[in-house]
């Protein structure tokens, strides 16, 4: 750490730096609280979506099982459904954290496998698996946001701790040392002036 000389100019600079550091700490603390609130809401949403996925998967597999029982194995019908490449990923900024925005086109109600060789159980399975896909996309977005928010909170907390435990105490110590040194110089000057006045 560089030696700071005891001058009024340095004292003024240090006081300004301390004020900036304290303001920075307050802003980081506020940012941390906002990120934490956002994280908690995302965690709650992830839990809600996960329970929805579990329920919808159970319904989808039950419908698929009914279709397999009534139609035999429905591999040919499943292969008729085209692969969906409509998934897009974008990003939005939340207090400096880049959060993903994942979207997939809503499926158009369409019969790809024909009515002649199938029944409503297969239709139910198709609809339920489409719902699972939509929910999975949303869950991927929310869970990824949770990880990114957690990383941003950790980074912000680290900076806030550095300000609170290292930077601010150092400035306060230097201000105290310079203030004491300047007070001592003033007392010496006052005593010297008294002696000079007395000798005159």
């Amino acid at each position: 750490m560089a030696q700071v000389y005891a001058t009024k100019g340095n004292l003024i600079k240090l006081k300004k730096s301390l004020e900036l550091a304290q303001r920075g700490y307050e802003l980081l603390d506020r940012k941390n609280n906002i990120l934490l609130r956002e994280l908690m809401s995302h965690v709650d949403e992830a839990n809600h979506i996960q329970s929805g996925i579990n329920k919808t998967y159970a319904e989808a597999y039950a419908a698929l099982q009914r279709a397999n029982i009534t139609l035999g194995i429905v591999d040919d019908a499943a292969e008729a459904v085209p692969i969906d490449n409509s998934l897009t990923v974008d990003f939005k900024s939340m207090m400096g954290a880049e959060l993903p925005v994942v979207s997939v086109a809503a499926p158009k109600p369409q019969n790809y496998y024909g009515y002649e060789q199938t029944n409503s159980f297969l239709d139910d399975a198709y609809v339920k698996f489409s719902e699972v896909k939509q929910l999975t996309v949303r869950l991927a977005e929310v869970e990824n946001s949770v990880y990114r928010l957690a990383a941003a909170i950790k980074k912000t907390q680290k900076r806030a701790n550095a300000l609170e435990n290292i930077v601010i105490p150092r400035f306060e110590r230097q201000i105290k040392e310079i203030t004491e040194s300047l007070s001592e110089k003033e007392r010496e000057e006052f005593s010297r002036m008294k002696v000079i006045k007395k000798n005159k």
Side-chain angles (χ1 to χ4, degrees):
M1 188 172 74
Q3 172 67 37
V4 179
Y5 295 104
T7 64
K8 286 187 178 179
N10 282 342
L11 182 62
I12 291 165
K13 282 182 194 170
L14 281 170
K15 283 182 176 177
K16 281 182 183 172
S17 297
L18 175 62
E19 195 179 318
L20 279 172
Q22 287 169 334
R23 198 176 306 149
Y25 173 74
E26 286 170 19
L27 289 172
L28 285 172
D29 192 46
R30 270 191 236 154
K31 177 183 177 180
N32 212 25
N33 289 336
I34 292 167
L35 289 172
L36 202 54
R37 273 199 304 274
E38 192 71 19
L39 175 78
M40 294 316 292
S41 74
H42 275 69
V43 167
D44 291 343
E45 187 179 358
N47 291 335
H48 178 70
I49 294 169
Q50 186 63 58
S51 65
I53 284 176
N54 294 341
K55 180 176 177 269
T56 311
Y57 255 127
E59 292 169 357
Y61 279 115
L64 183 62
Q65 192 174 25
R66 285 193 296 272
N68 280 332
I69 289 168
T70 56
L71 299 170
I73 303 300
V74 290
D75 285 354
D76 293 340
E79 285 173 12
V81 178
I83 294 169
D84 184 0
N85 292 320
S86 66
L87 188 79
T88 58
V89 180
D90 206 354
F91 291 92
K92 65 178 181 181
S93 184
M94 169 69 192
M95 301 295 288
E98 292 292 309
L99 305 183
V101 178
V102 184
S103 57
V104 66
K108 295 171 187 164
Q110 197 170 337
N111 188 311
Y112 295 104
Y113 37 77
Y115 295 108
E116 207 173 296
Q117 318 267 300
T118 62
N119 59 23
S120 62
F121 294 133
L122 185 61
D123 294 342
D124 287 346
Y126 173 69
V127 168
K128 289 296 177 187
F129 278 110
S130 293
E131 284 177 30
V132 166
K133 179 177 70 177
Q134 294 288 330
L135 287 168
T136 304
V137 165
R138 182 70 187 130
L139 183 63
E141 177 187 315
V142 171
E143 283 188 343
N144 196 285
S145 294
V146 166
Y147 292 125
R148 287 170 180 257
L149 285 166
I153 287 168
K154 188 176 178 183
K155 191 175 175 182
T156 305
Q157 191 60 51
K158 203 173 183 180
R159 288 178 177 169
N161 286 344
L163 281 174
E164 184 184 25
N165 300 320
I166 298 167
V167 177
I168 291 173
R170 186 182 69 215
F171 284 146
E172 287 173 340
R173 189 175 58 253
Q174 288 175 335
I175 288 168
K176 186 180 175 211
E177 286 169 4
I178 290 176
T179 304
E180 287 172 355
S181 180
L182 288 175
S183 295
E184 186 62 36
K185 280 181 185 174
E186 280 178 21
R187 280 194 295 276
E188 285 174 11
E189 185 64 25
F190 180 73
S191 299
R192 200 167 57 79
M193 292 304 284
K194 248 180 145 182
V195 169
I196 290 169
K197 198 172 181 186
K198 193 176 180 184
N199 288 341
K200 278 186 179 180

